[in-house]
Amino acid sequence: MRRIVFVGLGDVEVVRRVLSDLLLAPELRGELEIVLHDADPGLLATAEALVKSLDAEADGRASIVAAPDRRRALDGAAFVVANVDVGGFEATLKDFEIPHRYGLRQTIGDTIGVGGIFRGLRSIPVFVELGREMARRCPEAWLLSVSDPMAMTGLAVQLGTDFTRFAGSCHAVCDTHIYLADLVGRELEEVAFRTAGLNHQSFVLRFEAGGRSLYPDLDEALAGDDEHVRVEIYRRFGYFPTQSSEHAAEYFPWFMRHQGETSRLNVQAEEYLRRSGQSLHRYEETRRALSAGRSLLVRWQHQEPASVALLAMLTGRPKEVYVNVANDGLIANLPREACVEVPARVDASGIHPERVGELPIQLVALNRTFLNVVELTVRAVLAGERRHVLHAAMVDPNTAATLPLPAIEAMCGELIAAHGDLLPEGIRR
């Protein structure tokens, strides 16, 4: 049996979608050992009940184990799927409420920005410890992350551990491909795409069918659209971005501080709090559905990239999957140590990222600004340097465009105190 370990079970919807895909695969029937780990006993019990329900409905015949001890869970693992959210909704609420008092507006706050920085400070130590444990206990396993901030945790595993088989998986690229094909009236299968950059800031470099670029068709389809940030970025920089307008708005200095721009472009401040509330509601709905014996198996969907990758490695049927991995020259004009998002061939032998070459220089400029925040946050954790937390916030585009330096320092100090023991000791000093 192939051992798949899930570390972090707070988002039951991710667990439900990924495991529905795996348990419905006929060739994997009776072949999977699914091990579930979370430090929260309540989450662990709910996830165990959910997976047993999915397995029974799919007739997957999997072995299902709830493991309170993470180290034992990792022994013999072939794959580890990490979905980490340290501090949960309460920590996220602080990431929004405290900056809000200083006049700093955010939308999602999970990747860069002050929210992304502090989510990274909480998440990076978990990924570094996980990478070190996997290097000892299951060095041939793949660590598949579905957690934000992916560019930060991927870099941290690379710099802070000896473990090398990290790949982040996000649905933003495939969702964007589906969206663009639909906009120009094409079936997804007839469109050739090539996309690359950073997680939540990649760009569609190739968008064509029959050897012809579809960007002119997109221009026609978007002719009347003046209400979305990602369309604004596309028009200014020449390539369509993969992340939603809600995310993209806070990655740049031009939007969130200007009420007129957020109104014109329909940007909803603090959107992530609403989504987090929905996630809590889904969790309670899942518990009620389990108690009532209702079906929770997901039979019809666009598969999660994580499950597409897992199915390709487990069945040996090759697939193209967009992954976040150590650059090492994959994107020639971004730093070699950066965690970049590129296409990869995935098959029974593993994940094989493709070299993209150089990105257009204007896109590299945007990515470098993003990477400044990423590297400073990672270095803050690995070196225990509180001052790098301030540096990361000071160079963050939205924060720098909104607040003066004394306010940034005061805000970060208040956030550090508020999160307390959820942050590394070196940061709290």
Side-chain angles (χ1 to χ4, degrees):
M1 300 184 86
R2 308 296 299 277
R3 187 173 187 135
I4 304 174
V5 181
F6 283 75
V7 174
L9 304 168
D11 191 338
V12 292
E13 191 63 17
V14 171
V15 176
R16 186 166 81 99
R17 292 196 303 263
V18 172
L19 283 176
S20 290
D21 290 340
L22 300 185
L23 293 169
L24 284 168
E27 58 269 64
L28 298 182
R29 183 172 289 118
E31 296 297 321
L32 299 179
E33 181 185 19
I34 298 167
V35 181
L36 306 168
H37 167 77
D38 197 285
D40 183 322
L43 289 177
L44 185 58
T46 298
E48 182 183 18
L50 169 63
V51 177
K52 286 182 176 178
S53 172
L54 298 176
D55 182 62
E57 190 176 353
D59 191 27
R61 304 176 197 174
S63 171
I64 299 163
V65 179
D69 186 326
R70 187 175 70 194
R71 289 170 296 182
R72 290 189 178 181
L74 294 174
D75 285 337
F79 306 98
V80 176
V81 180
N83 184 22
V84 174
D85 181 13
V86 178
F89 180 74
E90 290 185 7
T92 297
L93 191 60
K94 293 173 185 176
D95 288 343
F96 279 85
E97 286 186 337
I98 292 172
H100 181 84
R101 292 205 302 269
Y102 285 82
L104 179 63
R105 298 198 299 166
Q106 303 175 90
T107 52
I108 305 297
D110 66 356
T111 298
I112 60 170
V114 167
I117 291 167
F118 277 84
R119 190 181 183 97
L121 295 175
R122 300 191 299 271
S123 301
I124 288 167
V126 176
F127 273 90
V128 170
E129 184 178 356
L130 181 58
R132 290 172 178 170
E133 289 173 349
M134 290 182 67
R136 292 192 298 270
R137 294 177 175 272
C138 51
E140 298 304 311
W142 281 97
L143 172 54
L144 300 178
S145 172
V146 295
S147 306
D148 295 315
M150 204 167 285
M152 291 184 187
T153 53
L155 177 62
V157 170
Q158 182 188 171
L159 297 181
T161 81
D162 294 326
F163 188 76
T164 59
R165 305 188 77 168
F166 173 96
S169 168
C170 175
H171 54 75
V173 172
C174 59
D175 285 355
T176 298
H177 291 176
I178 293 166
Y179 173 68
L180 290 178
D182 184 63
L183 275 178
V184 299
R186 298 276 186 159
E187 295 295 325
L188 183 65
E189 294 74 18
E190 64 180 306
V191 182
F193 288 100
R194 192 165 182 81
T195 298
L198 305 176
N199 183 234
H200 292 184
Q201 199 184 74
S202 286
F203 296 88
V204 179
L205 307 173
R206 182 186 181 202
F207 176 38
E208 62 185 46
R212 182 179 72 84
S213 174
L214 294 175
Y215 267 126
D217 301 42
L218 181 64
D219 292 336
E220 183 177 345
L222 294 174
D225 189 335
D226 295 315
E227 300 178 349
H228 292 92
V229 170
R230 68 197 309 199
V231 175
E232 188 88 346
I233 296 301
Y234 161 56
R235 287 177 176 152
R236 305 284 183 176
F237 288 87
Y239 296 87
F240 203 82
T242 57
Q243 198 44 260
S244 69
S245 292
E246 290 82 6
H247 277 82
E250 63 185 1
Y251 296 171
F252 305 108
W254 313 302
F255 304 111
M256 295 304 297
R257 67 165 297 193
H258 301 289
Q259 183 65 51
E261 286 297 273
T262 55
S263 296
R264 177 177 75 89
L265 296 167
N266 292 307
V267 176
Q268 299 298 315
E270 301 177 351
E271 167 68 12
Y272 193 66
L273 294 181
R274 184 185 67 81
R275 297 186 189 183
S276 296
Q278 289 178 334
S279 180
L280 293 174
H281 178 70
R282 283 195 298 269
Y283 176 72
E284 293 303 325
E285 282 289 302
T286 298
R287 293 182 64 187
R288 285 193 286 270
L290 287 169
S291 296
R294 297 199 303 268
S295 170
L296 286 164
L297 191 69
V298 182
R299 294 182 181 274
W300 308 109
Q301 64 171 352
H302 290 291
Q303 289 180 327
E304 283 289 307
S307 54
V308 174
L310 286 167
L311 284 167
M313 288 187 278
L314 287 164
T315 66
R317 292 197 299 272
K319 290 286 186 179
E320 180 183 78
V321 183
Y322 278 80
V323 296
N324 292 267
V325 293
N327 185 18
D328 196 23
L330 298 171
I331 299 178
N333 48 353
L334 285 179
R336 293 187 68 85
E337 68 274 11
C339 181
V340 297
E341 191 163 59
V342 295
R345 176 184 169 87
V346 184
D347 57 27
S349 64
I351 298 172
H352 312 285
E354 298 178 12
R355 294 190 180 276
V356 173
E358 292 193 350
L359 296 185
I361 190 62
Q362 71 272 27
L363 306 185
V364 169
L366 296 176
N367 279 174
R368 285 173 179 161
T369 301
F370 188 121
L371 286 173
N372 289 336
V373 182
V374 168
E375 183 170 4
L376 283 164
T377 306
V378 171
R379 299 288 183 181
V381 174
L382 296 184
E385 286 279 4
R386 180 184 175 121
R387 64 193 176 100
H388 286 332
V389 177
L390 304 181
H391 295 154
M394 289 171 182
V395 302
D396 174 70
N398 181 38
T399 308
T402 306
L403 299 179
L405 294 174
I408 294 173
E409 184 170 9
M411 177 184 64
C412 288
E414 191 173 340
L415 279 162
I416 289 169
H419 286 304
D421 291 343
L422 296 180
L423 303 182
E425 182 180 355
I427 304 300
R428 301 196 304 268
R429 289 201 301 265

